[in-house]
Amino acid sequence: PGHGRGGSAHVRMEMDGPKRTIAKPWRWILALLATCWGATWTHATWQGHVGADGSELARWLDELGQVSDAHTPGAVTRLVFTPSDVRAREYVTGKMVEAGMKVRADKIGNLFGRWEGRDKKAPSILTGSHCDAIPLSGRFDGVVGVLGGIAAVKALKKSGFQPQRSIEVMMFTSEEPSRFGLSCSGSRAMAGVLHEDTVAALRDENDTTYLEAASAAGYGAKTIKQMLDDARVKENTYEAFVELHIEQGPILEQQGINIGAVRAIAAPAALRVRFHGGGGHAGALLMHYRNDAALAGAELALATERAALRTGAEDTVATVGVFRIQPDAVNSVPREALLEIDVRDIDGPRRDEVVAEILSAAESIAATRKVKMEYEMINQDPPATCGQHVVDAVTSSAKELGYSVKSMVSRAYHDSLFMAKIAPTAMIFIPCRDGVSHRPDEFASPEDLKRGVETLALTMAKLSVHGYTEEAKEEL
């Protein structure tokens, strides 16, 4: 496979049943009869050119990037259920309609576009991502997976492909935690792991509740329970889920690789630690009388780094992302310190061991420095292992298109983490310039967008035809 080779790839796909020796004319007659009888597997053959337009997708991204509350040039701010988020949903809906998809939304605001397959009752193939954006971020995070999914459907339709299983593209509600402090609320609700009491406690900076905000945006329900019940996915609704996303890291670009086939998704355990000291005047309080909360926090920050490094595992990472002190005055000894710590790994038990070591260090530091310590777990979601046959479909599709592909781990949080609870899941990564994300200079080239969309399109076509039987795995 080359780097950048491909374009409109000529691909042959078959839906094979039991191996038989049948004259070709009779084979087509039997295929027609099998279709009429409602059989899932036929001998129909599709030969087409899967060619996506990366420049068109880049233009869509630019257009949607203008729907923003940010005043900084090139930056995007689009918090869930705000007017800019509502306008983004209108834009996405328009593109789904243009692609000939049937559009619906659930009561939490997840948006779906459906391309009906031959077998309308069979579980669908789903792709998608999110369009909400943290303050002053870029145009590509999440949005590539939503608009790229629509572009993939357009490419398949243009090729003459007809799906056996229906194909759906979706926009998740609130993957980012910026407004309410909870990430992936749409996919959590779909998976049935978002609870009423959790949603009831959510408030934004203006004390607006989640249900109030959803209702104001045209979603919501009379009660939180009704909203969550409507969003929860019934069993056997989806056969597989695939999410197209920028890598948000530098590996693909640095190694000159076109496509990342994600085999596992790390999950964070987030905790909040507070130290309470005595404080005092910076000049009058002598050093040996002090119980400085900030110094306790500083020690814990270093202990957090040591705990992650001690595992010796590349996939274990820990970050002190928030460190606040009070009273935050140059002439006052800090009496309070607040740290928010993020620990991630694809190995759940190993991650939890790091968390336990950090908490043990916090207790020891508090005792040594004579400060009080308290903590709370913000979340502790389990990591996800991707469905191997879905990963295989991504890998084989990239190779058939002439693209280089690498098996990867996603260390960032994605809706795929929760979709893996619903259906076999995988992710497709494309390079982003310098590995930059969550910044205005976030960028993926039209060429990389094209490769990602084509890989997604062929992956969905394979899954739509083959599903995930043992026989299908061999055929892939």
Side-chain angles (χ1 to χ4, degrees):
H3 304 290
R5 185 167 61 84
S8 295
H10 185 69
V11 181
R12 184 174 184 271
M13 293 182 57
E14 291 187 356
M15 296 176 280
D16 278 336
K19 305 299 181 184
R20 298 188 180 96
T21 303
I22 302 175
K24 286 185 178 179
W26 290 105
R27 185 175 181 176
W28 286 101
I29 293 171
L30 289 175
L32 178 60
L33 290 173
T35 301
C36 293
W37 290 334
T40 302
W41 303 103
T42 74
H43 291 284
T45 299
W46 167 61
Q47 287 185 293
H49 296 272
V50 180
D53 188 341
S55 296
E56 179 181 59
L57 178 53
R59 187 180 74 251
W60 291 358
L61 292 163
D62 286 342
E63 290 172 354
L64 189 51
Q66 302 304 310
V67 181
S68 169
D69 293 321
H71 301 295
T72 302
V76 179
T77 299
R78 197 162 48 230
L79 305 188
V80 67
F81 300 140
T82 60
S84 63
D85 180 54
V86 172
R87 293 198 306 275
R89 293 166 183 273
E90 292 170 352
Y91 182 90
V92 171
T93 298
K95 291 301 178 188
M96 288 177 171
V97 171
E98 286 177 15
M101 308 181 83
K102 296 179 181 178
V103 182
R104 69 176 179 88
D106 63 24
K107 293 186 184 304
I108 205 168
N110 292 316
L111 184 65
F112 302 83
R114 182 178 175 91
W115 179 18
E116 204 76 72
R118 291 189 184 96
D119 187 349
K120 297 180 181 180
K121 295 182 179 179
S124 304
I125 307 303
L126 179 64
T127 188
S129 194
H130 66 99
C131 287
D132 61 319
I134 69 169
L136 303 179
S137 60
R139 295 167 291 155
F140 295 81
D141 174 28
V143 186
V144 167
V146 179
L147 297 181
I150 299 170
V153 167
K154 286 188 64 176
L156 286 173
K157 286 190 170 187
K158 186 177 179 181
S159 76
F161 176 76
Q162 292 294 321
Q164 185 74 6
R165 300 175 185 274
S166 299
I167 291 175
E168 295 186 37
V169 181
M170 74 169 296
M171 170 183 163
F172 289 100
T173 283
S174 192
E175 192 262 3
E176 303 289 4
S178 304
R179 183 171 182 184
F180 290 100
L182 178 71
S183 61
C184 300
S185 61
S187 54
R188 287 178 193 266
M190 290 175 69
V193 296
L194 183 58
H195 305 296
E196 288 182 64
D197 55 349
T198 300
V199 177
L202 298 177
R203 300 283 193 281
D204 68 7
E205 62 181 7
N206 297 315
D207 205 36
T208 302
T209 69
Y210 192 101
L211 184 59
E212 288 170 344
S215 299
Y219 305 101
K222 290 183 178 180
T223 67
I224 293 172
K225 184 179 185 304
Q226 289 176 346
M227 180 175 69
L228 296 181
D229 286 348
D230 181 73
R232 184 166 187 171
V233 172
K234 295 179 181 178
E235 191 175 355
N236 295 324
T237 298
Y238 296 111
E239 182 82 355
F241 175 73
V242 189
E243 182 172 5
L244 174 64
H245 211 282
I246 59 171
E247 182 194 350
Q248 297 182 292
I251 294 173
L252 292 176
E253 184 184 54
Q254 288 179 355
Q255 297 183 7
I257 295 172
N258 304 137
I259 297 293
V262 176
R263 66 180 186 273
I265 304 165
L271 58 151
R272 184 177 292 119
V273 180
R274 288 183 173 87
F275 290 109
H276 302 277
H281 192 283
L285 189 62
L286 300 180
M287 298 299 289
H288 59 280
Y289 290 126
R290 298 184 180 192
N291 48 2
D292 190 321
L295 294 180
E299 283 196 38
L300 184 59
L302 294 173
T304 296
E305 180 186 41
R306 287 194 298 272
L309 292 173
R310 191 171 288 121
T311 68
E314 182 182 43
D315 295 322
T316 308
V317 293
T319 306
V320 179
V322 174
F323 192 159
R324 301 191 185 109
I325 61 173
Q326 293 293 335
D328 195 23
V330 69
N331 62 343
S332 181
V333 177
R335 61 176 175 266
E336 290 188 13
L338 167 68
L339 294 82
E340 291 186 0
I341 303 170
D342 181 297
V343 184
R344 302 190 186 213
D345 205 323
I346 60 170
D347 185 319
R350 184 172 62 201
R351 179 202 65 184
D352 293 344
E353 286 176 7
V354 172
V355 171
E357 184 174 338
I358 291 169
L359 290 174
S360 177
E363 292 174 353
S364 177
I365 291 166
T368 300
R369 290 199 167 269
K370 297 181 174 59
V371 295
K372 295 179 182 179
M373 188 276 292
E374 59 187 26
Y375 77 92
E376 60 180 306
M377 296 301 304
I378 300 171
N379 66 274
Q380 201 164 3
D381 297 309
T385 300
C386 294
Q388 188 58 53
H389 67 282
V390 188
V391 178
D392 290 345
V394 171
T395 302
S396 62
S397 295
K399 289 179 178 179
E400 288 171 30
L401 289 160
Y403 301 145
S404 53
V405 60
K406 178 183 178 68
S407 176
M408 302 186 74
V409 166
S410 172
R411 294 178 176 84
Y413 214 60
H414 299 287
D415 287 300
S416 289
L417 187 68
F418 298 97
M419 291 306 296
K421 298 177 181 295
I422 296 172
T425 292
M427 296 188 70
I428 299 170
F429 278 173
I430 60 172
C432 53
R433 187 173 59 197
D434 298 328
V436 166
S437 184
H438 281 195
R439 286 177 15 188
D441 54 339
E442 181 180 80
F443 179 78
S445 70
E447 294 77 18
D448 285 323
L449 293 171
K450 172 184 172 67
R451 296 180 190 112
V453 170
E454 289 176 350
T455 302
L456 174 62
L458 187 52
T459 299
M460 292 194 299
K462 285 172 176 277
L463 295 169
S464 171
V465 170
H466 291 287
Y468 64 98
T469 64
E470 290 301 318
E471 184 181 54
K473 293 180 190 178
E474 295 176 7
E475 290 173 355
L476 287 174

